[in-house]
Amino acid sequence: MSACSLTHIALHVTDLDACIAFYTEYAGLCMLRDRRPHGAHGKRIVWLCEQGRETSFILVLLPGGPPKKQSEDDFSHLGFALASKAAVNEIAAQAEREGILVWPCKQEPYPVGYYCGVKDPDGHFVEFSYGQPLGPGADDLIIKNEPSTSK
């Protein structure tokens, strides 16, 4: 099998503009593409990405589909790594003020780390975390927490 790389996730959303606003505000994503593949009156498809990762991973938002009905014990989610616990706390405080916090801040053992969960406008859960072996600071965490492979 040849090399394979995860490049995007595509989500159907009922309110495209509200979801764009959420992911740009909460996750800091940037608009990469805003297109209508079937002309001016066709459905609008939006590509969002992290600054500097335009060619490696994107979130595609597609209009249509039912809103996601997710219970608080359903841990299906999109995950975003942040640079500090304070940044996670800020997201959680904002989400609580806006009535969309679903998992308050919690510290779990490695590799889960410190996280909170927020509901996007369409009902998808979004995790914001610090201290996972992914994203900012991951190299230091992996070295500190993984068993040695040397003999």
Side-chain angles (χ1 to χ4, degrees):
M1 179 180 200
S2 62
C4 184
S5 216
L6 181 62
T7 60
H8 67 278
I9 291 178
L11 298 176
H12 281 278
V13 298
T14 55
D15 188 337
L16 187 60
D17 290 324
C19 287
I20 292 167
F22 173 86
Y23 285 101
T24 56
E25 179 180 349
Y26 273 85
L29 299 184
C30 304
M31 178 100 52
L32 179 62
R33 301 265 186 278
D34 187 345
R35 63 191 197 97
R36 294 178 189 270
H38 302 291
H41 300 292
K43 287 187 177 181
R44 182 176 170 210
I45 299 172
V46 172
W47 294 12
L48 302 174
C49 68
E50 289 179 59
Q51 186 81 30
R53 295 198 59 205
E54 295 86 353
T55 61
S56 57
F57 190 80
I58 62 170
L59 176 61
V60 179
L61 298 179
L62 308 158
K68 177 99 168 144
K69 300 288 187 211
Q70 192 167 347
S71 65
E72 288 184 28
D73 62 347
D74 176 354
F75 290 98
S76 303
H77 65 273
L78 298 174
F80 291 91
L82 300 175
S84 67
K85 284 184 176 182
V88 175
N89 290 337
E90 288 174 22
I91 292 282
Q94 179 180 352
E96 188 167 34
R97 285 190 303 273
E98 295 178 7
I100 58 173
L101 183 67
V102 290
W103 308 321
C105 292
K106 184 173 184 178
Q107 178 69 54
E108 296 271 355
Y110 179 86
V112 176
Y114 189 70
Y115 67 92
C116 72
V118 177
K119 188 184 304 185
D120 82 5
D122 217 59
H124 298 99
F125 287 2
V126 181
E127 177 190 271
F128 294 93
S129 67
Y130 171 74
Q132 295 184 353
L134 304 161
D139 292 337
D140 294 337
L141 289 167
I142 292 170
I143 291 168
K144 178 180 167 188
N145 290 286
E146 291 295 316
S148 174
T149 56
S150 61
K151 294 183 180 181

